[in-house]
Amino acid sequence: GKDVHLPEKFVWTPSKIIERLGTEIDDESSVLYWAAKNKIPIFCPALTDGSIGDMLYFHSYKRNGFVLDINEDIRRINDLAVKCHSSGQIIIGGGLVKHH
């Protein structure tokens, strides 16, 4: 294998993971595909609640230093809201999502 230098710590946010999934999906029926193509952020504060959370857990052992920064998404969504002229959102689910 290649001797690749990997950073000790690398930080992702849920919205950046979702955007990456959208750029990798080659399926025009996918909401993530179109959101990524049109640079529309998708926020999911409970990204770790489910199968993706399990995959992130296993990946964290494969690559020490992985950090999922939910606070950065909170800052991003609030900054978007404070700085925008007009806005809209679609909320799917309840509980955690509607309080984000």
Side-chain angles (χ1 to χ4, degrees):
K2 293 182 178 180
D3 183 24
V4 178
H5 174 71
L6 300 172
E8 288 185 32
K9 179 179 175 185
F10 56 107
V11 180
W12 283 72
T13 64
S15 66
K16 288 178 184 175
I17 290 173
I18 293 167
E19 181 181 9
R20 177 65 182 267
L21 291 172
T23 60
E24 297 294 330
I25 293 171
D26 188 21
D27 181 355
E28 291 187 358
S29 69
S30 167
V31 171
L32 300 185
Y33 170 88
W34 287 108
K37 192 170 186 74
N38 290 289
K39 301 190 183 324
I40 298 169
I42 294 178
F43 297 96
C44 182
L47 186 68
T48 58
D49 183 23
S51 180
I52 291 178
D54 293 341
M55 296 303 108
L56 293 172
Y57 165 77
F58 293 125
H59 184 71
S60 72
Y61 283 96
K62 183 178 178 182
R63 283 288 317 273
N64 264 345
F66 173 74
V67 175
L68 184 63
D69 186 354
I70 294 172
N71 188 56
E72 183 61 32
D73 267 1
I74 293 170
R75 289 176 53 117
R76 184 175 175 207
I77 196 170
N78 286 338
D79 286 348
L80 285 170
V82 168
K83 295 176 183 176
C84 74
H85 173 69
S86 64
S87 68
Q89 62 184 337
I90 298 171
I91 300 174
I92 300 172
L96 177 69
V97 175
K98 71 180 183 180
H99 297 289
H100 188 60

